[in-house]
Amino acid sequence: MSYSVGQVSAFADVTVRTLHHYDKAGLLSPSERSHAGYRLYSEADLARLQQILFYRELGFPLDEIAAIFKEPQANAVEHLRARQRQLSEEIARLQRLAEVAERAIEVQQTGVSLTPQERFEVFGEITFDLSYATEAERKWAHSEGQREAMARAAAHTKEDWRRLMGEATAWRAELLAAFDDGEPADGERSMDLAEEHRLHISRWFTTCPPDMHRRIADDFVADPRAFALVVPPSQQRPGLAAYMSKAVHANAARHAGGPADSEEHR
């Protein structure tokens, strides 16, 4: 039995133009012609079309499909295995993107509620890298501290942010001065600055015990985006992130086993 182009187009759910393209590409040429010269497809042609559509659904380009058809036994399994690996990698990539998009939505919904102009006015050079914020959300998704920090950040008013950033600016100037003066990272001055930073987090975001502060400081060294939230790149010095991290660890050791600081809960 033979079928016209229109019939094949209808039940195979492909356009007539696509069938003509497959013909010109040498992938699927109708086996027969009507008396009037119209293309007619045989059962074997339809089986070949089904194979083409299968490979197309898997994302194979037409030239690769043609290569498979030339030596089906030699090429089909090899090509399919390669495509399987590609699809698995793509699925994993898309899954990661879906997770990032989900967290990005959460960050946007619970983040700093200021207009772009207000953000620039309040934060200046300090910028929030969305990719880092999203990864932090994923990393600390099960942390009560992270949830509290996001909730409190969302509740801050513009005036709150002005005060917060004013504190941070003054503290940053002291940190840079200590670093430039060659103050040891584990010296009293540097440890006091680390303690001020810890209490700043507690006042404005979430209670920050020394162990948590150490993990935050480790991120400063591991990820430049994290440290950029504390010191903008234009003010950074080589080794400053490591210096801050060392000061935090030294301060945590100094406070180990000591009484909880009531100032954390102000």
Side-chain angles (χ1 to χ4, degrees):
M1 187 173 180
S2 299
Y3 304 89
S4 69
V5 172
Q7 288 175 311
V8 173
S9 171
F11 58 65
D13 196 24
V14 295
T15 65
V16 170
R17 184 175 180 180
T18 296
L19 292 172
H20 288 172
H21 181 61
Y22 290 168
D23 188 3
K24 289 180 181 179
L27 270 177
L28 180 64
S29 297
S31 301
E32 304 170 24
R33 292 275 176 171
S34 69
H35 292 299
Y38 292 108
R39 296 173 173 85
L40 293 175
Y41 292 84
S42 67
E43 296 285 350
D45 294 334
L46 295 183
R48 186 178 178 93
L49 174 60
Q50 190 175 37
Q51 287 183 291
I52 294 170
L53 296 178
F54 168 72
Y55 286 122
R56 288 296 288 157
E57 183 68 18
L58 290 175
F60 283 93
L62 295 183
D63 57 349
E64 196 167 344
I65 296 173
I68 294 172
F69 283 163
K70 285 180 182 178
E71 297 181 71
Q73 297 304 318
N75 288 327
V77 173
E78 177 185 339
H79 282 272
L80 285 169
R81 282 177 176 163
R83 186 58 183 159
Q84 181 187 40
R85 289 193 295 271
Q86 293 170 1
L87 289 171
S88 296
E89 292 170 1
E90 181 67 6
I91 289 169
R93 186 183 73 85
L94 291 174
Q95 181 61 42
R96 289 194 298 270
L97 286 177
E99 292 173 359
V100 168
E102 180 182 359
R103 293 301 180 184
I105 292 170
E106 294 176 4
V107 169
Q108 289 296 307
Q109 288 176 336
T110 61
V112 182
S113 55
L114 300 177
T115 67
Q117 182 176 353
E118 288 173 332
R119 284 178 183 241
F120 181 79
E121 180 184 341
V122 171
F123 296 109
E125 288 186 80
I126 297 293
T127 58
F128 290 83
D129 187 308
L130 182 56
S131 64
Y132 175 74
T134 302
E135 288 174 21
E137 272 286 287
R138 291 175 60 190
K139 182 176 180 181
W140 305 107
H142 302 295
S143 165
E144 181 62 35
Q146 173 71 9
R147 287 191 291 271
E148 180 188 0
M150 294 302 294
R152 289 179 63 182
H156 287 338
T157 65
K158 182 179 178 180
E159 186 54 39
D160 289 334
W161 283 109
R162 285 186 187 280
R163 290 174 55 207
L164 186 162
M165 294 306 294
E167 282 185 16
T169 299
W171 171 86
R172 185 164 56 248
E174 292 295 326
L175 174 70
L176 294 174
F179 182 82
D180 291 342
D181 290 346
E183 184 74 25
D186 55 356
E188 195 76 18
R189 182 178 173 189
S190 301
M191 288 191 291
D192 287 347
L193 285 168
E195 179 67 5
E196 285 182 32
H197 182 261
R198 186 178 73 85
L199 295 176
H200 175 84
I201 295 172
S202 295
R203 276 194 298 275
W204 293 104
F205 298 104
T206 184
T207 301
C208 183
D211 282 349
M212 179 188 289
H213 201 210
R214 277 197 293 260
R215 292 194 295 271
I216 292 172
D218 289 341
D219 271 356
F220 292 162
V221 177
D223 194 329
R225 298 171 301 176
F227 194 54
L229 293 174
V230 178
V231 181
S234 65
Q235 297 181 34
Q236 291 181 16
R237 280 82 155 145
L240 181 61
Y243 176 88
M244 177 63 186
S245 179
K246 185 174 180 179
V248 168
H249 277 262
N251 181 60
R254 178 174 64 168
H255 286 273
D261 193 325
S262 59
E263 202 177 350
E264 288 181 353
H265 304 287
R266 294 194 305 189

